[in-house]
Amino acid sequence: MSSNLQLNSEGKLKHFLTLEGLSKELLTEILDTAESFAGMSDSQVKKVPLLRGKTIVNLFFENSTRTRTTFELAATRLSADVLSMNIATSATSKGESLLDTIRNLEAMFVDMFVVRHAISGAAHFIAQHTAPHISVINAGDGQHAHPTQAMLDMFTIRQIKQDFSSLRVAIIGDILHSRVARSQIQALNILGAAEVRVIAPKTLLPAHVESLGVTVSHNLTEGLKDIDVIIMLRLQKERMTSALLPSESEYFKCFGLTEDKLKIANPDAIVMHPGPINRGVEIDSKVADGPQSVILKQVSNGIAVRMAIMAMAMQTSAAAPGRSAIVGNN
Amino acid sequence: MSQIHIQNGRIIDPANNIDRIGSVYIADGQIMSVTHEPAGFTPDTIIDAGNQIVCPGFIDLSTRLREPGQSRKATFKSETVAAASAGVTTMCLQPDTVPVIDTAAVAELVKDLAEKTGYQQIYPIAALTRKLEGIELSSMLSLKQAGCIAVGNASQPVQNLLILRRAMEYAASHDLLLIFRPNDYWLGNKGCAHEGAFATRYGLPGIPEAAETIALSHCLELAELTGCRVHFGQISCKRAVIKIHQAKKYGLNVSADVAIHQLHLTENDIQPFDSSYHVLPPLRTETDKNALRQGLASGTLDAICSDHQPHDMDAKLGAFPETEPGISSLETLLPLMLRLVAQQKITLQQGIAALSTNPARILRLNSGALTPGFTADVCVFNPELNWQIDAESWQSQGLNTPFWGQTMTGKVTHTLQAGKLIYRQGE
């Protein structure tokens, strides 16, 4: 159902809510399209007229600087009109106000919603109830999914490693609360990575994490063996107050990525982090700023990947030019 | 008062071990006979139950009619029509109304509403603690005298075990039955789905089985300590079934029920973020479902309840965790029970007993059986009739069922409550 909801009758992307149910071909198409946009970012002319006349509303019910700004830049470079709204969630009857907010904005002839919300399933809900011509992009919902972040991570991995089939990827940290991790795991499995390994204490893993298609380790030293890609997750401070962890220092001792630990992984392993990073909590500064880190590359790739996803989702409603037109602007 | 003759039906009365074609004779609101025509019997109504099943009316141990306080969701009027059409002749109302049924005045208001609706057999369950907060005891004796049939804390856990102990002691002093849904507040962790593959995949806060089994274990210990009669409501997992089996074998005076949807649905059936599947306790695994079915067949679980929770549209309109839990389920009670019979999980006699005989025994009612002198609560149903759940057939104001649009087999044709015909198909 979730996949049907995202695709139109021709199997083209209509909404982008989750990676679940999407094909390897579609994910590869997103990465290829993003590649053509990425080349464009370096050139003098950074804009293409693909979404000229379209109105995109960034609906952020939860704060975010990085994701929101890259979405804004991506939309601007596609020549769309962009409106960003930060909406604090009210404590009561969020469902009703959420729907009312959407209805009100629809009345302003919006073409796309980019939604971030603290509750899992919020983007699905909006996609189900919004007007049929509107596309919905999930910019992170609760602990469920953050598919554009996962795709920009895949893009970064592919830039460096080319092929997924031989890759062993470790995701380290708070998997339980991470929508990024859930989407990364789905993306890596769809793209055919050799192994996706999660490394965390039991308190930071969902109860049935193996059902996501991963192997599990509770020990960073053992878990990093043979790993080609290391993805660190941000550790929220509130995990300490909810008795999931004893202290930041103990966490860093067990699961923090240091230069020594990094040596256990394959020598050409890359280090990723969706940001913002906690230096000295999940990652040592020497690693974060070191030669194997691709953290800033991830940020710049965010724009191209989000441009690709927005352009593809809008192609179903607009007769936008194909990829050749995009490449032609290069 | 009127005399009614139900003839040619297949009479199934588990309490009296009857399963044969015959007649039921009713007069003055009571069962007169199921064996012979009483002398001087002159029926003013004859019901031909040819090719149909005649059994005791159903007794629902957990229902919410949403009045007082939430009539936008449902009303006594709308839900008693649904109940009558589903063969349900007695309902126990959970105390989580607005205001809570924690004073005699609210209990009397509920009885008045029942009276005005013309559906007599509605029994409020009194709140175990004031406002269901788990802090102070409610006035249980006054509530009993105002017509409450049992005490319970609805879906709200009593966090402090000392308070639960005292509440159970006090209930036992007045020979009140405690209807208890085992659910540990802390382990429940404000979850909205079973802590399994579904919750993991969709990033939903999960509720482990241990939230149920630990609360169950606590309550079993306190049942022994206090001597309180306890009925466990809406059991949802295998380990809880095992614990209840052990407790019964050990000799504790406890009973248990399961909500009808738990016998058919699991987390695998949930469509992503479809709020009609949002129910508490949550839909669990295939293993749990099978254990619940076996528990019913073996008698470890005594009864099936509807756990009817009608909702308005807005309550179910939102992202899954933000919607209100509950399924509107009175009208699927019989067909889903019959589905278990068709799948040979239980016998028809067991299914009928779980809906009538056994709840009557738990509540100590003179009904749930076709014994002469008992209240004439009778359900006549066609076990073969197919019908579709749609806006035309559905009676409850709550449209929140995951079975919407499906075809059900088995439909009630007549319902008698205390000898009064409260439902006849097509009228």
Side-chain angles (χ1 to χ4, degrees), chain B residues 60-83 88 90-101 110 113 119 122-127 132 152-157 179-183 233-234 257 259 261 278-281 305-312 324-331 333 394 396-400:
Chain B
D60 195 353
L61 289 162
S62 175
T63 319
R64 285 164 173 91
L65 305 187
R66 302 306 189 189
E67 280 188 299
Q70 294 181 297
S71 54
R72 69 177 187 283
K73 292 185 185 295
T75 62
F76 269 53
K77 194 158 180 266
S78 67
E79 302 317 288
T80 53
V81 168
V88 176
T90 301
M91 293 188 271
C92 298
L93 291 203
Q94 290 288 358
D96 52 359
T97 46
V98 184
V100 167
I101 307 176
V110 168
L113 278 166
Y119 186 104
I122 289 177
Y123 296 107
I125 300 169
L132 302 172
N153 226 47
S155 306
Q156 300 301 317
I179 297 182
F180 187 80
R181 170 153 104 69
N183 172 31
Q234 297 100 58
D257 71 56
H261 37 265
H278 182 191
V279 66
L280 295 178
C305 74
S306 74
D307 202 24
H308 180 63
Q309 299 184 48
H311 280 297
D312 54 324
E324 293 183 47
I327 294 175
S328 175
S329 51
L330 278 171
E331 291 157 83
L333 191 58
W394 199 250
S396 168
Q397 196 173 312
L399 310 183
N400 50 302

Side-chain angles (χ1 to χ4, degrees), chain A residues 205-212, chain B residues 194-198 200 209 267 285:
Chain A
L205 289 171
H208 292 257
V209 68
E210 310 81 21
S211 67
L212 298 177
Chain B
H194 169 64
E195 188 179 277
F198 176 79
T200 295
E209 296 99 317
E267 60 168 355
T285 67

Side-chain angles (χ1 to χ4, degrees), chain A residues 2 17-20 118-124 138 140-147 176-183 186, chain B residues 200-204 272-273:
Chain A
S2 54
L17 309 171
T18 169
L19 296 171
E20 186 188 352
I119 304 292
S120 301
H124 273 77
N138 184 2
D141 64 325
Q143 297 163 10
H144 169 232
H146 194 350
L176 177 63
H177 300 93
S178 177
R179 53 190 172 215
V180 175
R182 282 182 177 79
S183 286
Q186 281 174 339
Chain B
T200 295
R201 177 161 301 258
Y202 294 102
L204 299 171
F273 301 117

